[in-house]
Amino acid sequence: MSRRVLAALVLLLLLIAFPFVASGYLLGVFTIAFYFGVFAMAWDLLFGFAGEVNFGPTFLIGLGAYAAGLLNVRGWPILPAVLAGAVAAVLGGLLLALPALRLRGPYFGLVTLVAVLLLQQVIVIFAGVTGGEIGLSLPDVLSVDARKNYWYALAFMAVSGALLYALSRSPAGLILQAAGQDPVEAQALGFNVAKHKLAAFSISALFSGLAGALMVFYLGTASVDTVVDISVTVQVIIAVVLGGRRTILGGILGAVFLIGVGEVLRPLGQLSTFVVAAIALAVILLFPDGLIGAFGRHRRQA
């Protein structure tokens, strides 16, 4: 664990220095990747540790993004709007989780997926308020400076990663992991499985909502394609599996890999999506524990 933390600190220092040698285009790519890294880490807490297959992370992301955007359009400054977006994501997550967590097997995942579809329809139906399929333009943005936007995203990702990683290694995180692997035995040992999973869902919603709200203030617009679409859910899930499930920090590695490779292959047009998917599939098949798991296994064998 100490080596993993040390490696993360070294990488963080390199990322802090990166803007001094990188172009604005590269900084923009990494800025988006950092927000996706937080999406992935928040999803890993619920799936990797709590064992709940959430097919609707964009429901939480979208709630935070659109709540913050709508409030900003009505005159709220950025910081209060972002905090309100996070609160909206948590409240919406609780309303979804309270009945959904009573379900078992694939039904929980189906409920979260339906929630995403419902949110998409609400955005389209109330297009006069939300901007519909065109999107909602925000009057304010975090900054017009690429370096500042990069550092905002990096700082947010670093703090989120530290908090989520510490939580996953805390007694509560170990109980959550036990509840995810064998809820019956965990319940028999006296742990309140439902309470811990509800707490995990709320924490996941908090970070997802914050990241969604901050990302739309970076983009200057909130739209279905960027924060609610099913393709965003697929990217988040693949990022976690690529980086390493139940590692938290692996979500960052997976997100940077996906976004980075996607940008490199953008000149291929529609073919780039196929190539990225093929690379992701190959990595998943060759390294079932993800890139971090593969690195750890190689180090142990050496």
Side-chain angles (χ1 to χ4, degrees):
M1 185 185 303
S2 60
R3 290 185 179 181
R4 184 178 297 176
V5 173
L6 179 61
L9 291 175
V10 172
L11 179 60
L12 179 61
L13 292 175
L14 293 174
L15 290 174
I16 291 174
F18 184 66
F20 297 105
V21 297
S23 65
Y25 169 76
L26 282 177
L27 294 182
V29 172
F30 273 83
T31 299
I32 292 294
F34 292 158
Y35 287 123
F36 267 82
V38 179
F39 296 157
M41 289 189 292
W43 189 82
D44 190 28
L45 180 69
L46 190 61
F47 173 64
F49 287 84
E52 294 294 343
V53 183
N54 174 18
F55 289 130
T58 51
F59 174 73
L60 306 173
I61 296 167
L63 283 178
Y66 270 91
L70 289 170
L71 290 174
N72 183 244
V73 169
R74 282 155 181 75
W76 283 47
I78 291 179
L79 182 57
V82 168
L83 296 177
V87 172
V90 172
L91 293 177
L94 286 174
L95 290 175
L96 176 65
L98 285 172
L101 284 174
R102 298 177 182 178
L103 304 175
R104 293 292 180 267
Y107 298 105
F108 175 81
L110 291 175
V111 168
T112 58
L113 181 59
V114 170
V116 174
L117 300 178
L118 288 175
L119 180 59
Q120 290 178 346
Q121 292 303 311
V122 168
I123 293 171
V124 173
I125 291 172
F126 296 97
V129 177
T130 64
E133 296 178 343
I134 298 175
L136 179 70
S137 296
L138 278 59
D140 298 321
V141 293
L142 289 174
S143 176
V144 294
D145 185 276
R147 286 186 180 182
K148 286 185 179 180
N149 283 319
Y150 174 92
W151 279 321
Y152 288 150
L154 176 60
F156 174 64
M157 183 191 70
V159 172
S160 300
L163 292 175
L164 289 169
Y165 185 81
L167 175 63
S168 68
R169 265 59 186 176
S170 68
L174 296 177
I175 294 172
L176 184 64
Q177 186 173 346
Q181 293 179 347
D182 193 335
V184 176
E185 185 173 348
Q187 190 79 39
L189 291 173
F191 300 124
N192 191 326
V193 173
K195 182 185 73 175
H196 281 85
K197 289 193 175 186
L198 185 62
F201 200 98
S202 300
I203 295 170
S204 179
L206 173 65
F207 283 95
S208 297
L210 279 174
L214 287 171
M215 192 173 78
V216 294
F217 278 115
Y218 162 65
L219 297 172
T221 181
S223 66
V224 172
D225 291 339
T226 55
V227 292
V228 189
D229 196 76
I230 298 298
S231 63
V232 179
T233 294
V234 174
Q235 284 185 296
V236 171
I237 294 174
I238 292 177
V240 172
V241 178
L242 277 177
R245 177 190 173 195
R246 207 179 295 134
T247 62
I248 298 297
L249 299 181
I252 299 175
L253 184 61
V256 171
F257 176 84
L258 276 182
I259 301 297
V261 172
E263 286 297 322
V264 170
L265 298 176
R266 184 178 291 273
L268 297 178
Q270 293 295 328
L271 185 60
S272 65
T273 303
F274 172 79
V275 175
V276 171
I279 293 174
L281 180 61
V283 173
I284 293 170
L285 291 175
L286 294 173
F287 308 109
D289 296 329
L291 297 175
I292 288 184
F295 174 76
R297 184 170 61 253
H298 174 73
R299 183 168 55 83
R300 287 192 298 270
Q301 292 174 351

